[in-house]
Amino acid sequence: MDLLGGEQADHGEAVRVGDRAVSREGLFGWAAGVAAEIRGADVVAVHATPTLETVAAVVGGLLAGVPVVPLPPDSGPAERDHILRDSGARFVLAARGAYEGEGPPVIPVDGLSGSGPEAGTPADATALILYTSGTTGAPKGVLVSRAAMAAGLDALAEAWAWTPEDVVVHGLPLFHVHGLVLGVLGALRVGSPLVHTGRPRAEAYAAARSRGGSLYFGVPTVWSRVCDAPASAQELRRARLLVSGSAPLPVPVFERLEALTGHRPVERYGMTETLITVSARADGDRRPGYVGTPLRGVETKLVAEDGSPSPADGETPGELHVRAPMLFSGYLNRPEATAEALGADGWFRTGDIATIGADGWHRIVGRASTDLIKSGGYRIGAGEVENALLAHPAVREAAVIGTPHADLGEQVTAFVVAEGIESEQLIDFVAERLSTHKRPRIVHLVETLPRNAMGKVVKTRLHP
């Protein structure tokens, strides 16, 4: 089976975005027209708005065997120009009149049509160049091969019992792994129809049940908003599986979602460089605060700061290393960065701190750079403190970081969105539930937390 060769059940519509839909035959005819326009180009960019034009453009790139760079539509001029220059994109594919940026020539994809098979492209050829968020420097281009995507999507289909009889529903951006690779290319590979809601609104997720929505994707912010709309949440009781990813799902949201929908959500873990490597299964346990066990073909291990192995005892944290067939091929034009992250033995250093239990269950503590706090000789995971704060009924959002402390080295500092409570009360609340050394020394009450397009808190932008 080729990358997009899933056999679709008889649903008529293959992809619906908002109030527009296209059949599988119509989509591939449209994409073949795109492929005819770009075949022979080294790289093309796609103005990745949540539209059918974006889907047709990406599929056209795959049919033509041309690497595709999804361009975030909300990117500022500096970020956009960096991505276009760094990738060497020859054209920008976009809906007519939708893209106004400078740079390569724009090819309007509206109305194109054609025919012809997918290009005979090697499995290890680059399919997508996905750019990282750039929180620690300029965004890097991540080279994702056709074989990596196929391996990752097939492993997820197995874990989630994902079949052509499912109808996938989500409203996520189409320039990340979650919304594009899983939510669009996964549906096309499996052969299951896709309903993209345009925006991830609770009422739109509920309305998609009328179209047979069964497999729902969302980030924690989406599921939190679903919980804030009980009538919409009740509609999801008839879904088959609710999947959460792209950021840790707070335990209180997990519990509220279960109470309202009857579903214990499936959590999974991945990165742009790895796609999805760890997940709970449709036919297995689902534990709040944990991301599951390795998918088929995936190996994981924990490494201590001194390079020695960390024990898989469920308690001792270490940096998570991953080896799997769905790993990226390297960073575009950055051999040193590639060599630093991806060893010759195939192990990728994720930069995430995790624990692994004797039963193989993984819990992500956070990023080594921002979420592992070293205070007074203790190593404290920010996520554990965040979950403790979120357990208070007055707290809506929480983010925890380490800040400099003259005696402790670092102190636990929290930024909290809450109503009707004082900082000292929250400090005492955490101290009653966790070890005393894990309590926040400082709690800043704020109106909002800075987040990126996928709903992740950008901790580098947290300031008192």
Side-chain angles (χ1 to χ4, degrees):
M1 176 169 39
D2 61 41
L3 181 58
L4 302 177
E7 295 297 327
Q8 186 179 356
D10 184 17
H11 290 277
E13 296 179 356
V15 178
R16 170 172 286 272
V17 181
D19 59 0
R20 300 169 61 207
V22 65
S23 68
R24 189 175 183 90
E25 180 181 8
L27 173 62
F28 277 77
W30 187 358
V34 175
E37 291 285 328
I38 65 173
R39 188 166 278 120
D42 293 329
V43 179
V44 297
V46 172
H47 184 52
T49 55
T51 60
L52 289 178
E53 284 76 12
T54 293
V55 177
V58 172
V59 174
L62 295 174
L63 294 181
V66 176
V68 171
V69 180
L71 192 62
D74 61 349
S75 58
E79 179 185 3
R80 181 186 64 235
D81 293 348
H82 166 75
I83 292 173
L84 291 172
R85 286 197 310 271
D86 188 70
S87 66
R90 177 67 179 84
F91 303 106
V92 175
L93 308 181
R96 189 177 305 278
Y99 180 79
E100 299 179 351
E102 298 180 356
V106 177
I107 296 179
V109 299
D110 316 61
L112 296 176
S113 63
S115 62
E118 186 171 352
T121 306
D124 60 355
T126 298
L128 298 176
I129 305 175
L130 300 172
Y131 275 77
T132 61
S133 60
T135 55
T136 58
K140 298 190 292 289
V142 176
L143 304 174
V144 182
S145 72
R146 303 169 78 87
M149 284 201 294
L153 292 172
D154 289 350
L156 284 179
E158 177 186 71
W160 297 345
W162 185 357
T163 75
E165 298 301 322
D166 277 306
V167 174
V168 175
V169 179
H170 74 87
L172 302 172
L174 300 187
F175 48 87
H176 285 297
V177 167
H178 198 166
L180 179 59
V181 178
L182 275 60
V184 174
L185 302 182
L188 290 172
R189 181 169 178 80
V190 171
S192 56
L194 164 66
V195 176
H196 190 287
T197 59
R199 294 176 62 86
R201 302 188 311 272
E203 60 270 24
Y205 273 37
R209 273 295 307 143
S210 66
R211 298 187 179 278
S214 62
L215 179 57
Y216 282 74
F217 296 162
V219 299
T221 301
V222 171
W223 296 124
S224 179
R225 291 172 181 170
V226 167
C227 290
D228 289 338
S232 294
Q234 290 286 336
E235 287 295 315
L236 300 187
R237 283 184 170 272
R238 295 181 294 152
R240 185 178 69 82
L241 212 62
L242 309 184
V243 180
S244 183
S246 296
L249 184 67
V251 171
V253 177
F254 183 109
E255 294 171 343
R256 289 174 61 206
L257 197 60
E258 181 183 11
L260 288 166
T261 68
H263 289 282
R264 293 173 70 82
V266 164
E267 288 197 72
R268 83 301 183 284
Y269 166 79
M271 300 177 65
T272 306
E273 292 92 338
T274 68
L275 304 183
I276 309 305
T277 52
V278 178
S279 179
R281 299 180 63 90
D283 60 356
D285 193 11
R286 301 163 204 176
R287 305 177 188 176
Y290 290 78
V291 293
T293 57
L295 295 175
R296 182 185 64 202
V298 176
E299 300 173 79
T300 62
K301 64 180 180 181
L302 298 179
V303 178
E305 287 181 287
D306 62 2
S308 64
S310 290
D313 57 10
E315 296 290 337
T316 306
E319 183 185 14
L320 182 63
H321 291 207
V322 174
R323 186 161 61 184
M326 58 280 287
L327 290 188
F328 75 136
S329 306
Y331 295 112
L332 179 66
N333 301 325
R334 287 171 171 78
E336 293 182 359
T338 300
E340 182 179 352
L342 186 60
D345 55 0
W347 286 97
F348 173 69
R349 300 181 56 179
T350 67
D352 284 330
I353 303 300
T355 64
I356 302 176
D359 57 1
W361 273 76
H362 289 52
R363 179 170 63 90
I364 305 300
V365 175
R367 294 295 292 171
S369 57
T370 58
D371 292 322
L372 186 64
I373 303 166
K374 301 171 185 177
S375 180
Y378 293 101
R379 303 172 80 212
I380 303 165
E384 184 179 18
V385 184
E386 289 163 358
N387 278 326
L389 286 163
L390 288 165
H392 195 288
V395 174
R396 299 206 316 271
E397 298 179 80
V400 170
I401 61 173
T403 57
H405 188 277
D407 179 47
L408 300 172
E410 286 186 308
Q411 63 184 350
V412 179
T413 300
F415 295 78
V416 177
V417 179
E419 294 180 359
I421 194 166
E422 300 297 327
S423 298
E424 289 299 325
Q425 292 174 280
L426 290 174
I427 292 172
D428 293 341
F429 181 80
V430 174
E432 292 170 359
R433 285 155 178 77
L434 302 178
S435 301
T436 302
H437 68 267
K438 296 180 179 179
R439 74 189 187 284
R441 298 276 175 158
I442 298 175
V443 172
H444 297 287
L445 296 172
V446 297
E447 293 185 0
T448 60
L449 297 177
R451 296 182 181 273
N452 64 16
M454 292 301 291
K456 292 183 181 180
V457 175
V458 183
K459 292 193 173 182
T460 54
R461 289 164 51 192
L462 290 173
H463 303 289

